[in-house]
Amino acid sequence: MAPSHVLRCCQRVLAWVPVVFIALVVCWSYYAYVVELCILTIMNIGEKIVYLVIFHLSFVMFVWSYWKAIFSNPANPSKDFCLPKADKEQFEREERPELQQEILRRVAKDLPLSTRTGTGAIRYCDRCQVIKPDRCHHCSACDMCVLKMDHHCPWLCRRKSAENCPKNELPDSHAKFHVLFLFFVAAMFFISVLSLFSYHCWLVAKNRSTIEAFRAPVFRGGPDKNGFSLGFRKNVKEVFGDEKKYWLLPLFTSLGDGVNFPTRLVHVDVEQPASDTQSASARCNITENQSSHSSRPLSESQNRLLGNEHHYSEDGLSGNNHNIDPNHSVAVSLESDS
C-alpha cells in the first residue's frame, strides 16, 4: 500500500482538476467573446467598445471573486478550543464516553458554546482534536475543521454569463462555431449559478449555512433552525457588514470573528403563522435570572446586531414574546446552568 502522504498528495492534485477545467473554459470563453465575436464579427466600432467595456468589467469581477474563493484559506478554530495537554492525555486514556464528556464539559465551561450534538454532548472533532465552536464542522475534503462551514464546493465557480449575441451576421463557420458554443456554455452556467445564487440569498436571509438548512443546529434546549436568525436586515448585515458600498466586492466585510454568534435563544419558527409563533414563544421566554450565567460579553459587532431592541420587526414578531437581553453572550443557553 502506498504511504499515506503519497495518497494525500494525489488527492490534492486531483482536487485541482475541476479548477483547471474551469480556468480552461474561462480562457476559451475570453477568446471566443473578445476575439471571435467583438473583434472579428462586430463591425460597428461603437458596439464593439460597449461590448468590450461591459464584458471586461464583469470579467475582472469574476476573476477577482474566483481567485479569492480558491486561494483564501478557510478559518480554523483557535488554540482556545484545543484541550490542554493534561486533559488531552486523560481524554485519550479514558474509554468511557460519559467521562470523556465530563472532561470536555470542564474544558468548555468558559468557551462561547451554544450548540451541542443531537444527544446533547459537547461537539468534539476526534480528527482535529478540538472542541468545535458553534457552526463549525469538519470538512472531509480539506481534512480540517472550518469555522461557520457552509459546504465544500470543488468547482468554486461563480461563472458570469456572456453578453447577448449581437444580431450581426457571422461571417464564417469558424466564428459561428465559437459564438454558438459560447452561448451554450454561458446558458448552462447561467442556469446552474442562478439556482445556487437564489438558494444562497435565501440562506443569507435566514442566517443559515447549507449544513444548517439540512440539519438544524442543536442548542442546549434542543434543535432550533432559527436559532441564529436575527431578522432579515440584521442577517444580511452579519454576512455583508455595515458598509453597503462594499457588498458587491469580494472583500471580507462580515461582522464577527467566526466563533461568537448572537442568537435568538428562543424556539420560534418565523415561517409559521403569528398565532403559532406566539404560543411557541410563550413557552420559551428567557427568564431574567439567566443573565447571571453569561460567560463572555458581546463583541462590538454583535452589539451592533442586537442593539437594545427587544423585537425583530422583519419577522413580524411581537416584542412582548421575545424578551432577549442584549447583554447576554452567545454562550447563554435556553436552560439554566444552575
Side-chain angles (χ1 to χ4, degrees):
M1 182 180 293
S4 59
H5 67 276
V6 176
L7 293 176
R8 186 61 184 167
C9 182
C10 293
Q11 290 177 350
R12 290 179 179 177
V13 172
L14 293 176
W16 280 95
V17 172
V19 178
V20 172
F21 173 76
I22 293 296
L24 293 176
V25 171
V26 170
C27 291
W28 168 81
S29 301
Y30 186 90
Y31 166 79
Y33 186 90
V34 174
V35 178
E36 294 291 344
L37 179 62
C38 293
I39 296 179
L40 300 180
T41 302
I42 299 178
M43 297 293 105
N44 186 286
I45 301 297
E47 285 186 38
K48 187 178 298 188
I49 293 176
V50 171
Y51 289 164
L52 287 174
V53 169
I54 294 177
F55 172 79
H56 280 90
L57 288 176
S58 301
F59 186 77
V60 169
M61 288 296 297
F62 161 73
V63 173
W64 187 6
S65 301
Y66 194 51
W67 178 275
K68 293 280 289 184
I70 295 174
F71 294 103
S72 295
N73 293 324
N76 311 120
S78 64
K79 294 182 179 179
D80 296 336
F81 292 86
C82 297
L83 296 179
K85 185 177 179 179
D87 292 320
K88 181 179 178 182
E89 293 175 351
Q90 183 181 359
F91 181 86
E92 293 174 348
R93 289 195 307 267
E94 188 58 59
E95 296 181 355
R96 289 171 291 182
E98 60 274 10
L99 294 182
Q100 287 181 332
Q101 274 298 305
E102 183 62 33
I103 297 173
L104 294 179
R105 280 194 292 268
R106 185 173 67 252
V107 176
K109 62 181 175 57
D110 294 325
L111 295 177
L113 300 178
S114 296
T115 57
R116 297 291 187 268
T117 65
T119 59
I122 299 292
R123 300 170 65 241
Y124 180 78
C125 180
D126 294 313
R127 199 166 175 82
C128 298
Q129 296 182 332
V130 296
I131 296 174
K132 293 182 182 180
D134 293 342
R135 315 184 83 173
C136 175
H137 298 275
H138 184 88
C139 177
S140 58
C142 300
D143 195 25
M144 64 177 68
C145 284
V146 178
L147 296 181
K148 197 183 179 184
M149 180 179 174
D150 187 84
H151 70 289
H152 182 93
C153 178
W155 299 97
L156 294 174
C157 179
R158 295 182 178 90
R159 181 78 163 86
K160 302 285 185 181
S161 61
E163 298 295 319
N164 293 331
C165 295
K167 296 181 179 180
N168 303 61
E169 290 295 329
L170 300 178
D172 53 55
S173 58
H174 185 261
K176 188 175 294 186
F177 164 78
H178 282 284
V179 173
L180 291 179
F181 194 68
L182 175 64
F183 177 80
F184 170 77
V185 172
M188 179 182 64
F189 276 100
F190 174 77
I191 294 173
S192 61
V193 173
L194 179 62
S195 61
L196 287 174
F197 175 75
S198 302
Y199 177 61
H200 280 81
C201 286
W202 180 82
L203 289 176
V204 170
K206 297 294 184 181
N207 202 345
R208 301 175 193 167
S209 65
T210 303
I211 296 176
E212 292 167 351
F214 285 94
R215 184 175 67 249
V218 180
F219 296 84
R220 298 184 184 182
D224 186 354
K225 64 180 179 180
N226 295 310
F228 293 107
S229 179
L230 306 175
F232 175 78
R233 180 175 57 86
K234 293 183 179 181
N235 290 342
V236 172
K237 281 190 174 183
E238 184 175 333
V239 175
F240 290 102
D242 294 327
E243 299 291 336
K244 294 183 180 180
K245 59 184 178 182
Y246 297 125
W247 283 9
L248 298 181
L249 298 178
L251 300 173
F252 181 80
T253 56
S254 299
L255 301 180
D257 54 8
V259 174
N260 298 275
F261 297 96
T263 63
R264 293 168 63 98
L265 300 179
V266 291
H267 295 281
V268 178
D269 189 349
V270 296
E271 297 170 345
Q272 297 298 324
S275 59
D276 296 338
T277 59
Q278 290 176 359
S279 60
S281 61
R283 296 192 301 268
C284 302
N285 281 337
I286 301 175
T287 58
E288 295 180 358
N289 62 355
Q290 287 180 309
S291 61
S292 62
H293 297 284
S294 177
S295 63
R296 184 172 298 186
L298 288 173
S299 64
E300 180 183 354
S301 61
Q302 294 164 345
N303 277 317
R304 290 204 303 272
L305 284 171
L306 291 178
N308 293 321
E309 299 180 15
H310 293 267
H311 64 283
Y312 303 106
S313 59
E314 297 86 359
D315 293 331
L317 302 177
S318 172
N320 295 329
N321 294 329
H322 299 275
N323 300 323
I324 299 179
D325 190 344
N327 294 321
H328 277 147
S329 73
V330 296
V332 178
S333 68
L334 289 171
E335 301 175 346
S336 174
D337 294 334
S338 53

